[in-house]
Amino acid sequence: MTEDTLATTLDRIRVFPIKSLDGVDVDAAALASGGGFSRDREFALVDADGDYVNGKNERRIHRVSAEFALDARTVSLAAPHDADAPAPATFHLDDPDEREGVASWVGEFLGYEVALIGERTGGYPDDTELTGPTVVSRGTLREVASWFDGVTVDSMRRRLRANVELASEEAFVEDRLVAEPGKRVRFRVGDAELLGVNPCQRCVVPSRDPDTGAEFDGFRTRFIRKREETMPGWSGGGRFDHAFRLMVNTVVPGGSVGGTLRVGDDVRSLGTEPE
């Protein structure tokens, strides 16, 4: 392993109980057996073909507002930007009939049948191989938001949908958690350890307003240009085959499953090791 190259604290934890819907901030989150946080992407919406109803495939899903009460295990759905949307409603996620109600509500809004699934161990992460919490920094959100007129830091946070936000004000400091192909970066958060692997390849979702789905014209082109212009010396390398990458994908070593990450935990790189 190499010497420490990152030392900061954990500033924010966010889980997304239903894949593709809004997230909710928590003070602490346990690392589940599937590698991600418990309660993160626990459920997913799918269409009649079994394909995800997510921002990549369905722009209108951005217009669905979801508020979760995690302890009560409920979700409240609304579509405040659509006058003809179903009336706001609250559903209990542990009740099979009410889970069908979630699917019916979303299906009525979208105009086609969907189902809410939730039977897969480990939930429904975006990356089925690198299933650990995704990581970004506060400084990165501020920097990237500044590239786009009218996009706030919180809007960028909601566009990128990271699980873990580092307190560092240094832009792209999370790239220190990525090494050359064949190596991973081991880092400690509180009493748990994680392995940083890839800079996350982005899709169309960050280009869209998280409330309306309206696309920012030229988002990808500007993002790539600014990413290349501002990429610090510790970024780049063989993991960056293109510049439309931001946020870090991780895996959770077996010994850390069951551990808990908490806001305020120290975050420290332990160096690289073979992949």
Side-chain angles (χ1 to χ4, degrees), residues 183-197:
K183 293 184 178 181
R184 304 180 295 188
V185 178
R186 184 175 288 266
F187 63 104
R188 180 178 294 122
V189 184
D191 295 328
E193 294 185 2
L194 292 85
L195 295 166
V197 185

Side-chain angles (χ1 to χ4, degrees), residues 148-207:
F148 303 97
D149 293 340
V151 175
T152 66
V153 172
D154 191 60
S155 175
M156 187 56 63
R157 175 179 290 119
R158 294 176 62 206
R159 290 164 185 256
L160 296 178
R161 301 174 65 83
N163 291 125
V164 168
E165 189 174 320
L166 306 180
S168 176
E169 294 291 350
E170 188 173 19
F172 315 117
V173 71
E174 68 278 358
D175 287 352
R176 293 186 184 274
L177 300 176
V178 174
E180 291 290 338
K183 293 184 178 181
R184 304 180 295 188
V185 178
R186 184 175 288 266
F187 63 104
R188 180 178 294 122
V189 184
D191 295 328
E193 294 185 2
L194 292 85
L195 295 166
V197 185
N198 272 337
C200 181
Q201 177 169 294
R202 305 313 312 197
C203 64
V204 68
V205 170
S207 71

Side-chain angles (χ1 to χ4, degrees), residues 36-89:
F37 285 139
S38 62
R39 302 186 294 189
D40 185 54
R41 277 86 172 186
E42 181 180 0
F43 300 96
L45 293 158
V46 296
D47 63 18
D49 295 324
D51 295 325
Y52 288 134
V53 178
N54 59 16
K56 297 176 187 178
N57 303 325
E58 175 54 84
R59 181 194 297 266
R60 289 175 295 168
I61 200 66
H62 294 288
R63 303 179 75 85
V64 175
S65 170
E67 293 187 7
F68 294 92
L70 295 181
D71 290 340
R73 297 283 291 169
T74 62
V75 59
S76 298
L77 300 179
H81 298 281
D82 293 80
D84 57 349

Side-chain angles (χ1 to χ4, degrees), residues 40-152:
D40 185 54
R41 277 86 172 186
E42 181 180 0
F43 300 96
L45 293 158
V46 296
D47 63 18
D49 295 324
D51 295 325
Y52 288 134
V53 178
N54 59 16
K56 297 176 187 178
N57 303 325
E58 175 54 84
R59 181 194 297 266
R60 289 175 295 168
I61 200 66
H62 294 288
R63 303 179 75 85
V64 175
S65 170
E67 293 187 7
F68 294 92
L70 295 181
D71 290 340
R73 297 283 291 169
T74 62
V75 59
S76 298
L77 300 179
H81 298 281
D82 293 80
D84 57 349
T90 298
F91 304 93
H92 201 291
L93 292 171
D94 288 337
D95 185 320
D97 290 336
E98 298 213 11
R99 287 200 297 271
E100 290 186 8
V102 172
S104 295
W105 193 100
V106 175
E108 181 180 348
F109 175 73
L110 296 177
Y112 55 85
E113 183 177 346
V114 304
L116 182 69
I117 56 176
E119 68 276 4
R120 189 166 73 189
T121 301
Y124 301 87
D126 291 335
D127 191 314
T128 57
E129 295 184 0
L130 307 179
T131 58
T134 50
V135 183
V136 75
S137 75
R138 189 164 60 199
T140 297
L141 295 174
R142 185 191 66 249
E143 171 65 23
V144 178
S146 75
W147 299 347
F148 303 97
D149 293 340
V151 175
T152 66

